[in-house]
Amino acid sequence: MPRPLPPSGNLFAMDSAKSEMRQFRGIGASAGIAIGQVRIAERRRVTVTEYPVAAESIPGELSRFAKAIDRAKAELFALKEQLAVTHGPEHLCVIDAHLMLLDDTMLVGETTEYIERLGINAEGALKRTLNRFKSFFDGVDDDYLRERGGDVETVIERVLRSMVGEKQEPITAIDGKVIVVAHELSPADILQIDKSKVIAFVTDLGGKTSHSAILARAFEIPAVVGLERFTAEVSDGETVIIDGASGVVIVNPDQEAFRDYLQAKQRYEYVERELLKLRDLPAETVDGQRMRLKGNVEFLEEVASINRHGGEGIGLYRTEMLFLNRATMPDEEEQFLAYAAIVREMAPHPVTIRTLDIGGDKCLPDFDLFDEMNPALGVRAIRLSLRNPAAFKMQLRAILRASALGQVKIFFPMVSGVAEVRAAKALLEEAKSELRGVVPFDEELAVGIMIEIPSAVIIADLLAGEVDFFSVGTNDLIQYTLAIDRTNEHLSELYEPLHPAVLRSLKLVVEAAHKAGIDACICGEMAGEPEYLPVLLGLGFDELSMNAVSIPRVKNILRRCTMAEAQQVAQKVLTFATAAEADTYLKGEIAAHFSDSFD
Ligand code: PEP
Ligand code: MG
């Protein structure tokens, strides 16, 4: 496991003499242990009533709405200026996304229409628009996009607040070191908070992929999200322990829990410090077998953490982030600037850029989307890009242009067969010919695909002849192989990376890649679990890409394995009929050989 666990014992047992100790479990969004006092950041919803207005008052309501939008924009511009001074330019895209929402045609158009057609006040009309947005985002079958609904809500709340004349207390004024607890924290909130005073975040809402969770990881601040009603369960000043890896939150810990977690925290920090010493040591086995360890990113600000943890580049840059939360598509120039910034920041190491992995029933401007019964199996990722060749080529040109600035590779998500790869490569060639002689780019740009669909595993030999590398997206490969929705918490115990079908798939993929002389990489979450390292190494993978904090943890195990040991473990783990047996075996091996890295 990547984190030290608190010593076993009755840590979680309630102490009857101190019944006020309460334990909660949310979603671990950013690893690390924090012990401190609660500071509730009140993000109370503004209360709004809808009422009818006379026909002659309608122009007045429209003008109140327009003025409130202008005020909200002015606030955001002021915030942007302030952040540019205090934090530099990197985070400002979050504020830009909110500014763009204020120009969104649905937001403005529908609210105006409600005021005029229903003859109601501006606040009531805007609240109706908010509810429409909410039901749209709630129905979206993708965690990431569903959480984007939170951004819309934050923006609309800002306008509503301005209309009813309420001021929201900024949560910048914080005394001492505290754990900030909020119903929801917008990225703007997180950027405004003085990070030297906040030791952790806890929120009722949100998931692992919410902007705030991603920012918490980028700032390496422990965070637990998705606790549902936690703000109603604690008060300012109460002592709280949070474990940002497991998602455990303990309010008013008894002495024993306090002592155990204090030890676990000290140990975590000690291990983190020790592991960082591995930063400049080669990622290789005892007998000199190299394996590239890289980081996954969504934002530019995560690159520093990859460098700090000794990552040898970016194995997965998820470009979706740039396309979301906005009314219009980023044009080629904007995309180029975003990719170029990451390539420059990561230089001299390589950056593997994934083309847009989005779709289903999500609204993206300029894309033709369908109402789908089953979006996970719908028009998404490469399928969506191929149906929108103009937009796809725009992204390809932007990536190609960035390839002139450093080492860039490109790969396509959710590939199910050879025809898709050929079609994508043909468009890449068209993009190249449009740029040739106009701007520089890397003519030899390596092209890969993600292996995430069982059909791609079965025909890995055919696909290997078409590309320069494979990168296994184990998150989706497990989902599609086992028919387990990766976002469904009720099925989480069936989401089994060590299922024999998954292990056999991994083996097939490496064998096909190596037979064709191309690299086999993994960029799904499995790559960042140190426990799986001997298996993935033994199977022959060339590269693992993961969250930055996991890099030294995985490297630590790698540097203590021999290739022969790893191959033995991989062979053995493939003999089990169930994931549970494989897991028991692997845990035994890990305890026997690397126990000091895991306790
Ligand atoms: C995966 O599916 O494993 C992967 C890395 O892609 P994503 O998590 O972005 O779907
Ligand atoms: Mg995927």
Side-chain angles (χ1 to χ4, degrees):
M1 293 296 115
R3 72 205 142 81
L5 291 170
S8 55
N10 62 347
L11 176 63
F12 299 124
M14 294 282 273
D15 180 340
S16 54
K18 295 183 179 176
S19 55
E20 71 273 21
M21 174 166 134
R22 283 133 31 222
Q23 188 198 317
F24 303 81
R25 192 179 278 270
I27 298 165
S30 179
I33 291 170
I35 303 174
Q37 314 248 288
V38 167
R39 165 74 153 82
I40 307 243
E42 184 62 75
R43 283 358 223 167
R44 192 167 44 81
R45 298 274 169 264
V46 59
T47 319
V48 161
T49 4
E50 177 183 311
Y51 51 86
V53 293
E56 59 272 22
S57 302
I58 285 180
E61 289 304 304
L62 291 172
S63 141
R64 281 183 59 234
F65 174 54
K67 282 187 182 143
I69 292 265
D70 287 345
R71 276 196 301 274
K73 280 186 189 168
E75 280 172 26
L76 285 171
F77 276 120
L79 178 60
K80 197 174 156 184
E81 270 179 28
Q82 179 204 327
L83 285 173
V85 176
T86 53
H87 289 75
E90 313 91 80
H91 305 290
L92 300 183
C93 58
V94 170
I95 310 291
D96 284 334
H98 283 197
L99 277 165
M100 273 179 218
L101 277 170
L102 286 172
D103 283 325
D104 181 79
T105 39
M106 176 170 161
L107 192 155
V108 177
E110 290 212 356
T111 309
T112 306
E113 199 215 318
Y114 285 136
I115 297 173
E116 289 172 340
R117 186 167 53 83
L118 304 177
I120 56 172
N121 61 326
E123 295 89 335
L126 185 54
K127 189 80 187 178
R128 279 180 183 248
T129 306
L130 172 60
N131 291 338
R132 285 253 300 153
F133 268 112
K134 267 193 185 154
S135 60
F136 166 74
F137 279 104
D138 287 349
V140 168
D141 214 11
D142 175 296
D143 263 5
Y144 177 80
L145 274 176
R146 203 163 39 244
E147 285 152 17
R148 300 289 71 75
D151 289 316
V152 178
E153 214 168 328
T154 308
V155 168
I156 292 185
E157 281 275 325
R158 185 181 285 279
V159 182
L160 283 173
R161 219 170 270 284
S162 156
M163 276 196 279
V164 298
E166 248 185 50
K167 277 254 172 289
Q168 187 166 49
E169 180 205 358
I171 43 179
T172 36
I174 288 174
D175 299 325
K177 297 225 178 228
V178 293
I179 293 178
V180 168
V181 175
H183 183 62
E184 185 177 22
L185 286 175
S186 71
D189 286 331
I190 292 197
L191 293 175
Q192 280 181 87
I193 288 172
D194 180 350
K195 258 80 66 196
S196 67
K197 292 182 176 163
V198 174
I199 54 173
F201 296 115
V202 181
T203 59
D204 292 344
L205 303 189
K208 254 200 161 92
T209 63
S210 59
H211 266 134
S212 321
I214 290 168
L215 283 178
R217 286 198 289 279
F219 292 122
E220 294 176 34
I221 296 176
V224 175
V225 300
L227 276 152
E228 296 185 2
R229 289 186 34 79
F230 190 64
T231 41
E233 307 276 355
V234 280
S235 315
D236 263 334
E238 280 192 296
T239 300
V240 166
I241 294 174
I242 90 147
D243 180 344
S246 65
V248 167
V249 176
I250 300 174
V251 181
N252 289 335
D254 62 20
Q255 259 187 4
E256 190 178 6
F258 190 87
R259 193 196 57 225
D260 289 347
Y261 267 96
L262 193 58
Q263 271 174 14
K265 176 177 154 56
Q266 284 160 350
R267 176 148 178 81
Y268 181 88
E269 286 162 3
Y270 167 76
V271 170
E272 179 75 9
R273 275 196 306 278
E274 287 301 303
L275 287 170
L276 282 177
K277 293 182 185 159
L278 300 178
R279 180 187 184 278
D280 297 318
L281 296 178
E284 63 184 19
T285 58
V286 173
D287 47 343
Q289 176 69 41
R290 295 271 295 135
M291 192 185 213
R292 296 187 303 271
L293 302 183
K294 296 185 178 170
N296 293 349
V297 297
E298 291 81 11
F299 286 124
L300 177 62
E301 42 273 67
E302 290 167 287
V303 179
S305 182
I306 292 180
N307 277 321
R308 215 161 60 75
H309 288 88
E312 299 167 74
I314 293 170
L316 166 61
Y317 169 19
R318 294 180 166 102
T319 56
E320 296 82 70
M321 207 54 87
L322 199 62
F323 288 73
L324 301 169
N325 259 352
R326 48 191 301 155
T328 54
M329 288 271 292
D331 63 12
E332 181 180 323
E333 191 61 20
E334 186 181 343
Q335 290 186 52
F336 163 67
L337 290 174
Y339 307 152
I342 291 206
V343 171
R344 286 202 181 97
E345 186 84 4
M346 196 69 248
H349 298 299
V351 177
T352 312
I353 305 181
R354 181 173 77 182
T355 60
L356 199 56
D357 184 7
I358 212 164
D361 52 355
K362 298 102 188 176
C363 251
L364 275 187
D366 303 350
F367 275 98
D368 286 334
L369 292 176
F370 305 95
D371 252 350
E372 295 179 318
M373 291 288 287
N374 201 343
L377 305 181
V379 182
R380 49 171 306 197
I382 192 66
R383 301 168 188 178
L384 182 66
S385 293
L386 291 175
R387 281 169 187 254
N388 294 274
F392 187 38
K393 276 204 290 175
M394 190 189 283
Q395 179 170 41
L396 296 174
R397 284 194 303 270
I399 295 173
L400 282 166
R401 286 170 59 192
S403 74
L405 306 170
Q407 281 192 66
V408 171
K409 301 179 194 189
I410 187 169
F411 65 148
F412 307 122
M414 304 288 301
V415 164
S416 62
V418 169
E420 279 164 342
V421 184
R422 290 187 181 155
K425 280 171 63 185
L427 288 168
L428 182 63
E429 284 311 310
E430 280 182 30
K432 282 184 181 178
S433 60
E434 287 161 13
L435 294 180
R436 207 167 278 125
V438 184
V439 287
F441 63 88
D442 177 7
E443 284 279 2
E444 305 304 320
L445 177 88
V447 178
I449 53 170
M450 292 204 65
I451 304 283
E452 308 179 271
I453 300 182
S455 64
V457 173
I458 295 165
I459 60 157
D461 57 330
L462 303 178
L463 290 165
E466 305 283 330
V467 292
D468 302 311
F469 65 95
F470 284 161
S471 190
V472 185
T474 47
N475 308 339
D476 276 317
L477 183 61
I478 296 167
Q479 149 162 285
Y480 292 121
T481 302
L482 306 181
I484 299 295
D485 177 351
R486 67 191 254 194
T487 66
N488 186 336
E489 65 275 19
H490 307 297
L491 292 172
S492 58
E493 79 286 356
L494 290 176
Y495 188 89
E496 296 175 321
L498 296 180
H499 191 292
V502 175
L503 293 173
R504 287 185 194 188
S505 298
L506 294 177
K507 183 168 186 279
L508 274 171
V509 172
V510 184
E511 284 172 355
H514 289 175
K515 201 159 171 210
I518 65 169
D519 275 356
C521 318
I522 300 188
C523 62
E525 292 302 304
M526 219 178 151
E529 275 294 336
E531 183 181 320
Y532 299 145
L533 183 273
V535 178
L536 306 179
L537 173 70
L539 285 172
F541 280 96
D542 305 286
E543 173 181 311
L544 303 178
S545 190
M546 61 202 80
N547 68 76
V549 175
S550 292
I551 295 171
R553 290 172 163 75
V554 170
K555 191 194 268 188
N556 182 36
I557 303 300
L558 175 67
R559 288 181 50 81
R560 298 166 61 191
C561 271
T562 65
M563 202 54 201
E565 277 167 358
Q567 279 163 346
Q568 238 176 19
V569 170
Q571 256 172 31
K572 180 75 182 172
V573 89
L574 276 158
T575 62
F576 296 106
T578 67
E581 291 165 78
D583 195 44
T584 306
Y585 160 74
L586 198 53
K587 287 206 163 69
E589 285 298 298
I590 293 292
H593 299 290
F594 310 103
S595 60
D596 54 334
S597 311
F598 288 91
D599 46 49

